[in-house]
Amino acid sequence: MKEFNYTITDPQGIHARPAGVLVKEAAKYQSSITVEKDGKTGDAKRIFAVMGLGVKCGQTINVKIEGDDEGKAAKAIEEFLKENL
């Protein structure tokens, strides 16, 4: 399992557009990808799960990736977050 934390820098937090793109990015991988904030967990491949976390600017999320392509997926998701959120 790969795991990392990321602090959201987008002034609007995780809103609809980047959440949708995050879901598309996560769907490219077979691994299970979850996003956690304040004890609530959401499947990164489901937009309502990601939006339901209500992540605001300055808040830190924990991303957990587990599966056959977890290394590749972790690198791609972390890069996506740095570029978009």
Side-chain angles (χ1 to χ4, degrees), residues 6-13 55-61 85:
Y6 181 77
T7 301
I8 302 300
T9 57
D10 186 305
Q12 296 177 329
V55 182
K56 306 287 186 221
C57 183
Q59 293 182 323
T60 300
I61 57 172
L85 289 168

Side-chain angles (χ1 to χ4, degrees), residues 9-40:
T9 57
D10 186 305
Q12 296 177 329
I14 299 181
H15 54 95
R17 185 193 52 77
V21 181
L22 174 61
V23 169
K24 284 183 182 177
E25 183 67 28
K28 294 178 183 177
Y29 303 96
Q30 293 178 350
S31 295
S32 167
I33 304 172
T34 58
V35 179
E36 181 182 349
K37 182 193 77 100
D38 296 336
K40 292 195 313 186

Side-chain angles (χ1 to χ4, degrees), residues 13-84:
I14 299 181
H15 54 95
R17 185 193 52 77
V21 181
L22 174 61
V23 169
K24 284 183 182 177
E25 183 67 28
K28 294 178 183 177
Y29 303 96
Q30 293 178 350
S31 295
S32 167
I33 304 172
T34 58
V35 179
E36 181 182 349
K37 182 193 77 100
D38 296 336
K40 292 195 313 186
T41 302
D43 182 345
K45 296 180 182 181
R46 300 183 181 277
I47 191 162
F48 291 115
V50 174
M51 296 285 297
L53 295 173
V55 182
K56 306 287 186 221
C57 183
Q59 293 182 323
T60 300
I61 57 172
N62 177 265
V63 181
K64 294 181 184 175
I65 304 165
E66 189 170 3
D68 293 337
D69 56 358
E70 63 189 28
K72 187 176 177 182
K75 184 176 180 182
I77 296 297
E78 190 166 13
E79 193 63 36
F80 170 84
L81 291 171
K82 288 178 183 175
E83 290 176 4
N84 297 283

